[in-house]
Amino acid sequence: YTTDKGKIAIEKALKRRKIKGKVLKDKVSTYYRIEYDTSEKPLVSIIIPTRDYMDITKTCVDSIYKKSTYKNFEIVIANNDSKKEETLNFFKEYSKKYKNFRVIDCIMDFNYSKINNIAIKKSKGDYIILLNNDTEIITENWIETMLGYAMQEHIGCVGAKLLYPDDLTIQHAGVILGLGGVASHAYIGETRDALGMYGRLRVPYDYAANTAACLMVNKKKFQEVNGLEEDLMVAYNDIDFNIKLLKAGYYNVFLPQVEIIHYESKSRGLDTSSEKYKRFQKESQYMWDKWKEMLNSDPFYNNNFSKKGWFMLDKKKK
């Protein structure tokens, strides 16, 4: 009866605030989530950067068309100098096959921030989804669920639960600043069906940041904070962007009910070469120079918790 009363309390709060939404009780915990009304159905632009790796990108795009129940979207492929004939043929085929599929050329050395900034400027949607090409959609109502939160005035970025290809373990469930360095994902390696501390893997929670492997934001808010920082070519541009939204007064929300498979860094590879490592070090230092206070004290992570592992008490602190 207490969870029923809690549901009623949230419903009354929504009514007082004139917010349209349906309150749902989580099936395996005592917590709640809200399905916000998205009946206005604004256009959503899904930005997918890629350089060749046609098979991976095709898997991603096909999953969007096959799974998505929300239909008012466009897919914008940010083509970062693809060379292979099979990739170029794929672009031509899908441009003819789907009216809401188009390709924007971004011919340059890889700069994740710049590529996305260019594509977003040329996108038509009121809302943006940044999506890696090495992802695969699982949750059918993923767009409207994320959109419902992104449409709220106080919300900046909206993130999703990312799973490893085994479909059983978590790769991303929100980002904690200062964890293991600049920042790290919460609940890496945790089982997909785990509850999480106080239901963090069951219901929406505020986090300082979410990964841009799958990230939704209102385009006006994206522009308000001047988009992605182009000095951060590869690493931490998404963390920097999330923090800029926090500083602008918005909240970043992680939605565990939206699940996506992430074949992490499959198309780019990992930053293991000497040159890439030096760039990673440089971009890490950039973050410490710019956001030292935030990285040392994540406003959404209790200071009594360790920075060596998520949600573990730090024995050194009294």
Side-chain angles (χ1 to χ4, degrees), residues 23-200:
V23 181
L24 303 174
K25 292 199 299 181
D26 182 50
K27 294 179 181 179
V28 298
S29 72
T30 58
Y31 301 103
Y32 314 87
R33 64 176 182 266
I34 299 170
E35 285 187 356
Y36 290 103
D37 178 64
T38 57
S39 58
E40 295 178 14
K41 292 190 168 38
L43 179 63
V44 176
S45 296
I46 304 172
I47 312 297
I48 306 175
T50 189
R51 177 184 289 178
D52 289 314
Y53 289 93
M54 182 277 293
D55 54 338
I56 295 171
T57 306
K58 186 177 183 299
T59 296
C60 174
V61 170
D62 285 345
S63 73
I64 295 171
Y65 283 117
K66 182 179 178 180
K67 290 282 188 177
S68 302
T69 51
Y70 189 92
K71 300 303 181 183
N72 193 24
F73 67 86
E74 65 166 355
I75 293 177
V76 179
I77 299 292
N79 172 33
N80 183 216
D81 201 16
S82 295
K83 302 288 189 184
K84 294 184 178 179
E85 186 177 352
E86 62 178 12
T87 306
L88 302 178
N89 288 337
F90 163 69
F91 292 160
K92 291 177 183 177
E93 178 190 348
Y94 274 57
S95 295
K96 292 179 181 179
K97 186 176 181 180
Y98 298 106
K99 293 181 180 179
N100 60 344
F101 178 96
R102 58 197 178 99
V103 179
I104 293 173
D105 288 328
C106 303
I107 311 303
M108 64 183 77
D109 291 336
F110 183 81
N111 181 322
Y112 178 87
S113 299
K114 193 170 185 178
I115 291 166
N116 278 283
N117 286 342
I118 290 171
I120 288 169
K121 283 180 183 178
K122 296 183 179 181
S123 66
K124 299 174 183 177
D126 295 317
Y127 291 84
I128 301 297
I129 294 178
L130 302 179
L131 188 66
N132 279 18
N133 69 330
D134 55 355
T135 56
E136 184 177 349
I137 305 304
I138 299 175
T139 304
E140 293 184 348
N141 64 340
W142 70 294
I143 297 177
E144 56 263 52
T145 302
M146 297 180 77
L147 179 61
Y149 283 83
M151 290 175 70
Q152 305 308 308
E153 290 183 7
H154 65 288
I155 291 178
C157 284
V158 181
K161 181 196 288 181
L162 302 184
L163 304 173
Y164 284 111
D166 64 9
D167 211 19
L168 298 172
T169 51
I170 293 171
Q171 188 261 339
H172 168 270
V175 172
I176 299 170
L177 303 181
L179 181 66
V182 172
S184 184
H185 298 179
Y187 291 106
I188 292 177
E190 183 60 273
T191 56
R192 177 182 178 179
D193 58 355
L195 182 66
M197 192 182 74
Y198 302 124
R200 285 176 179 269

Side-chain angles (χ1 to χ4, degrees), residues 128 130 146 149-152 154-160 205-212 214-218 221-222 225 228 237-246 250-255:
I128 301 297
L130 302 179
M146 297 180 77
Y149 283 83
M151 290 175 70
Q152 305 308 308
H154 65 288
I155 291 178
C157 284
V158 181
Y205 261 89
D206 291 334
Y207 277 84
N210 289 288
T211 178
C214 179
L215 192 73
M216 181 182 278
V217 65
N218 184 313
K221 293 173 184 175
F222 181 89
V225 298
L228 295 167
N237 35 55
D238 49 356
I239 309 304
D240 176 80
F241 175 63
N242 276 263
I243 295 175
K244 288 194 294 184
L245 285 167
L246 291 181
Y250 300 111
Y251 289 84
N252 299 320
V253 181
F254 161 69
L255 304 183

Side-chain angles (χ1 to χ4, degrees), residues 231-235 279-287:
D231 284 342
L232 294 169
M233 298 170 61
V234 178
R279 183 183 59 223
F280 175 76
Q281 292 289 84
K282 181 181 178 181
E283 293 177 343
S284 296
Q285 191 59 51
Y286 176 99
M287 291 295 291

